[in-house]
Amino acid sequence: MVILFIQSPMILHCQPLQPQLPQYSQKLTRACRRPIRLLTAVSVQRRSDRMYATANPGVSVQSMVIKPPSHPTYDLNGVIKLALAEDAGDLGDVTTLATVPSDVEVEAHFLAKEDGVIAGIALAEMVFQEVDPSLKVEWSQKDGDYVHKGLKIGRVYGTAYSIVVAERVALNFMQRMSGIATLTKAMADLAHPAIILETRKTAPGLRLVDKWAVLIGGGRNHRMGLFDMVLIKDNHISAAGSVTSAVKSVDAYLEKKNITMEVEVETRTLEEVHEVLHYASQSKTSLTRIMLDNMVVPLPSGDVDVSMLKDAVKLINGRFETEASGNVTIETVHKIGSTGVTYISSGALTHSVKALDISLKIDTELALKVGRRTKRA
């Protein structure tokens, strides 16, 4: 593998963890005092990533094929440090401290133990760099690739001590993200031509990570939080008095504050759809999308009735984007997508994650032997 170095090193902005963690705090402290060179490759995508890194100091981009979504306050490096600190507690990795000599160097391989879409490669690399910048990580796959069980997808080499300390945190991120990406890919393919979206039903503190995995899986992000899109939901409508009152209030608020952003309103009945369309035909509005919530009706047979959803899409007739929500599963998403809706949102992408099984092994051959015995390789 050819490795090129950026000529102008970029400083990694970080602070030593408090309390200091005995297994890697000294290395992290040294890393904070010196420039860390970021590896790059000879592709247009990587050159774009270098530009991203310049605008976002502290974010490693060696393997960042798909960049994370933007957020004004989210600290991705801070999340990594928190995960490492959570694992280390106040004494560090006592098992590794007791059993692994600090000067032993090894090579460990990442193994896929299930078929699926791999995600979190770039984030895992950031974890290893946070623990020990001298560790070298190489990948034979990239985020978004489909992998099969038994496949070696990458390797890390350097001190065994640092690798074992970083192992579980890196794998936890990768397994969760890969599970999200795998389900997203399956649902996005079935939903076509509709576009699959996630929701805000993410693990607290991991929203950007979860939504990044959706992008890697071929989905698209809904709003990041409460700040970047107006979404008028049922409780807002109930408190405001009606759909019309809620949308009218939003239009007035955005005009007063001189804010331009997407506006979506949730509708639950065809009457509410008519009400929204009537208001929009009579007034200047910032409305861009109408959510058609729970208009997919489950049937005793296990199938779903999408006739109400089709009627709503026909009523709107392209005047606004449409979004189907509710009763979206891997079994129903294709039928929902065939109704003509623009988007389909599914909270299950992130709130019911089935992690993809991935391991990191120093003795790869033994691990594969055991995996074949247990049908996981």
Side-chain angles (χ1 to χ4, degrees), residues 144-221:
D145 283 349
Y146 195 88
V147 300
H148 298 280
K149 67 178 181 180
L151 182 69
K152 296 179 184 179
I153 59 178
R155 64 174 183 160
V156 55
Y157 51 98
T159 61
Y161 180 77
S162 296
I163 290 171
V164 175
V165 165
E167 172 190 353
R168 178 43 52 196
V169 170
L171 288 175
N172 282 350
F173 281 128
M174 288 184 71
Q175 289 179 313
R176 180 177 177 86
M177 290 182 71
S178 296
I180 293 171
T182 298
L183 181 57
T184 299
K185 171 64 174 172
M187 293 187 73
D189 287 348
L190 290 168
H192 185 78
I195 298 166
I196 198 75
L197 307 171
E198 88 292 80
T199 69
R200 285 169 52 239
K201 296 175 183 178
T202 53
L206 293 180
R207 178 166 299 170
L208 187 142
V209 174
D210 285 357
K211 285 178 173 282
W212 188 3
V214 168
L215 293 180
I216 292 170
R220 196 176 298 181
N221 293 148

Side-chain angles (χ1 to χ4, degrees), residues 43-332:
S43 69
V44 174
Q45 178 66 51
R46 294 297 194 271
R47 287 194 291 272
S48 171
D49 288 343
R50 290 205 302 274
M51 295 170 62
Y52 178 83
T54 302
N56 298 271
V59 176
S60 171
V61 293
Q62 289 119 283
S63 301
M64 199 172 289
V65 176
I66 298 173
K67 294 186 287 291
S70 61
H71 191 288
T73 61
Y74 197 94
D75 180 5
L76 190 55
N77 281 323
V79 170
I80 291 171
K81 291 178 183 179
L82 182 62
L84 289 166
E86 176 183 61
D87 218 17
D90 59 347
L91 294 177
D93 182 351
V94 291
T95 309
T96 303
L97 288 166
T99 61
V100 180
S102 61
D103 58 347
V104 171
E105 294 197 347
V106 298
E107 177 178 300
H109 287 263
F110 293 90
L111 302 175
K113 299 172 80 173
E114 287 183 281
D115 297 351
V117 176
I118 200 72
I121 280 176
L123 188 54
E125 193 164 316
M126 293 169 68
V127 172
F128 284 106
Q129 290 297 301
E130 184 72 25
V131 170
D132 185 351
S134 71
L135 294 175
K136 305 299 181 186
V137 189
E138 297 175 354
W139 305 97
S140 57
Q141 307 294 316
K142 62 183 183 299
D143 279 332
D145 283 349
Y146 195 88
V147 300
H148 298 280
K149 67 178 181 180
L151 182 69
K152 296 179 184 179
I153 59 178
R155 64 174 183 160
V156 55
Y157 51 98
T159 61
Y161 180 77
S162 296
I163 290 171
V164 175
V165 165
E167 172 190 353
R168 178 43 52 196
V169 170
L171 288 175
N172 282 350
F173 281 128
M174 288 184 71
Q175 289 179 313
R176 180 177 177 86
M177 290 182 71
S178 296
I180 293 171
T182 298
L183 181 57
T184 299
K185 171 64 174 172
M187 293 187 73
D189 287 348
L190 290 168
H192 185 78
I195 298 166
I196 198 75
L197 307 171
E198 88 292 80
T199 69
R200 285 169 52 239
K201 296 175 183 178
T202 53
L206 293 180
R207 178 166 299 170
L208 187 142
V209 174
D210 285 357
K211 285 178 173 282
W212 188 3
V214 168
L215 293 180
I216 292 170
R220 196 176 298 181
N221 293 148
H222 207 295
R223 58 178 178 161
M224 180 60 66
L226 300 174
F227 59 91
D228 58 333
M229 179 183 185
V230 174
L231 177 48
I232 308 167
K233 292 180 66 66
D234 52 358
N235 285 335
H236 302 111
I237 292 167
S238 297
S242 69
V243 171
T244 298
S245 295
V247 179
K248 186 176 181 180
S249 295
V250 166
D251 285 335
Y253 179 85
L254 295 180
E255 183 177 4
K256 179 181 178 181
K257 297 292 185 179
N258 194 28
I259 297 173
T260 300
M261 64 171 52
E262 291 185 330
V263 176
E264 180 174 10
V265 62
E266 177 182 306
T267 59
R268 295 157 291 180
T269 65
L270 294 180
E271 289 74 23
E272 286 186 333
V273 175
H274 277 292
E275 186 178 344
V276 171
L277 295 175
H278 177 73
Y279 169 79
S281 68
Q282 301 295 315
S283 310
K284 181 182 177 181
T285 181
S286 299
L287 186 68
T288 55
R289 189 185 307 174
I290 299 176
M291 180 185 291
L292 308 170
D293 189 49
N294 287 312
M295 294 189 186
V296 176
V297 182
L299 298 173
S301 64
D303 198 1
V304 289
D305 179 1
V306 296
S307 58
M308 184 179 179
L309 183 61
K310 283 184 177 179
D311 290 344
V313 171
K314 187 175 180 180
L315 273 175
I316 296 165
N317 194 28
R319 282 175 281 181
F320 298 99
E321 295 177 336
T322 54
E323 177 186 329
S325 175
N327 291 311
V328 179
T329 67
I330 195 71
E331 291 80 22
T332 65

